[in-house]
Amino acid sequence: MASSSPPPKRRRKEHGEDTNDDSPIPPPVVVFAHGAGAPSSSDWMIRWKDMLKNALHAIEVVTFDYPYISGGKKRAPPKAEKLVDFHKDIVKKAVAKYPEHPLILAGKSMGSRVSCMVAAEGDIAASAVICLGYPLKGVNGAVRDETLLQLDIPIMFVQGSKDGLCPLDKLEAVCKKMKSLNELYVIDGGDHSLKIAKKHLQMMGLAQDKAEDLAIQAVASFVSRCIGGK
């Protein structure tokens, strides 16, 4: 499991200067959206939900199923834009339940794209967005960067170097154009689900869980800086 770091401290301004406040910032609430092909009950989602909760000291990691995948029937997902209102309702309920806690939006693949769309609408005050395998490339090969370029809140990408839906050179070019603070963490050899082939793991002398542990530590550090004001 990921190592745990202490929660960040508040920072306040006094006489125009930042000073440390010893009172800890309330732990974040995370709303974590699934990808297009598997529900929130998938092994992948459960594992990352647990990692996010432990690494971020989250008061809760809220997962849910989009309507098209509910009820045990597997159907093709609609366009991401069609999922925004439902996703936003889930977020608003989480915020109402934990009003004093920083909000972190997170998602796998399609869920990360919809999370960014929710954040870009402006009426959701998120502290950061965490994208696990962002699907930058559309079905027709076009780069889907419109939402990313609209964002003005911090965003972190965790991407596999062998993810066919997100060529790293294209994502890096988008990151340079974005107005929001952004960070990219690359899992060497990872695919769209961040899974590394056995041969590549052997070559690196690394295990899958260790590679994921390093990634979640990077996520925790990024979130800590975002909500801690450092």
Side-chain angles (χ1 to χ4, degrees), residues 5 7 11 16 38 63 72 74 85-86 90 96 103 105 117 124 133 145 147 160 172 180 195 203 216 220 223:
S5 57
R11 292 181 68 86
T63 55
K74 190 172 182 180
D85 287 343
F86 181 85
I90 299 292
L103 169 67
L105 301 179
M117 291 177 175
I124 299 294
D145 60 358
T147 301
E172 288 167 350
S180 61
K195 185 176 181 180
M203 182 181 68
I216 203 69
V223 170

Side-chain angles (χ1 to χ4, degrees), residues 10 15 44 55 77 105 133 140 148 152 224:
R10 291 183 183 275
H15 306 298
W44 194 100
L105 301 179
N140 60 359
L148 297 178
D152 56 8
S224 180

Side-chain angles (χ1 to χ4, degrees), residues 44 108-110 132-136 158-160 162-166 190-195:
W44 194 100
K108 178 190 190 298
S109 188
M110 180 195 73
L132 305 174
Y134 191 86
L136 184 64
V158 178
Q159 301 291 149
K162 295 187 176 182
D163 183 354
L165 293 180
C166 189
D191 62 12
H192 187 56
S193 292
L194 311 178
K195 185 176 181 180

Side-chain angles (χ1 to χ4, degrees), residues 5-213:
S5 57
K9 302 297 178 91
R10 291 183 183 275
R11 292 181 68 86
R12 65 175 187 270
K13 284 194 173 183
E14 290 185 358
H15 306 298
E17 295 183 0
D18 284 341
T19 61
N20 287 321
D21 184 341
D22 289 336
S23 60
I25 292 174
V29 56
V30 182
V31 178
F32 184 26
H34 65 77
S40 62
S41 58
S42 70
D43 290 344
W44 194 100
M45 285 291 294
I46 291 171
R47 186 172 75 255
W48 277 87
K49 175 183 179 179
D50 289 343
M51 289 194 293
L52 285 167
K53 189 174 193 322
N54 292 333
L56 304 186
H57 305 282
I59 189 168
E60 186 176 353
V61 177
V62 178
T63 55
F64 61 94
D65 289 342
Y66 290 114
Y68 79 89
I69 209 167
S70 298
K73 293 183 179 180
K74 190 172 182 180
R75 291 166 287 181
K79 291 184 177 180
E81 294 83 355
K82 303 275 188 186
L83 301 173
V84 171
D85 287 343
F86 181 85
H87 192 139
K88 191 190 293 188
D89 284 343
I90 299 292
V91 172
K92 288 182 176 180
K93 289 176 183 176
V95 171
K97 186 176 180 181
Y98 302 106
E100 302 301 321
H101 295 258
L103 169 67
I104 305 298
L105 301 179
K108 178 190 190 298
S109 188
M110 180 195 73
S112 70
R113 186 164 176 245
V114 182
S115 294
C116 290
M117 291 177 175
V118 169
E121 295 223 332
D123 57 344
I124 299 294
S127 295
V129 183
I130 307 301
C131 300
L132 305 174
Y134 191 86
L136 184 64
K137 199 166 72 170
V139 177
N140 60 359
V143 173
R144 300 184 291 197
D145 60 358
E146 298 87 354
T147 301
L148 297 178
L149 298 178
Q150 293 173 19
L151 286 176
D152 56 8
I153 67 170
I155 179 169
M156 183 173 188
F157 301 96
V158 178
Q159 301 291 149
S161 65
K162 295 187 176 182
D163 183 354
L165 293 180
C166 189
L168 291 180
D169 59 338
K170 295 187 181 300
L171 179 58
E172 288 167 350
V174 172
C175 286
K176 289 178 181 178
K177 294 189 293 183
M178 290 173 63
K179 59 184 178 181
S180 61
L181 171 71
N182 61 82
E183 188 171 311
L184 168 62
Y185 183 90
V186 177
I187 294 182
D188 189 19
D191 62 12
H192 187 56
S193 292
L194 311 178
K195 185 176 181 180
I196 307 170
K198 289 183 178 179
K199 287 185 177 179
H200 198 86
L201 286 171
Q202 291 172 353
M203 182 181 68
M204 294 191 300
L206 195 64
Q208 179 72 34
D209 60 352
K210 179 59 177 177
E212 292 177 351
D213 185 67

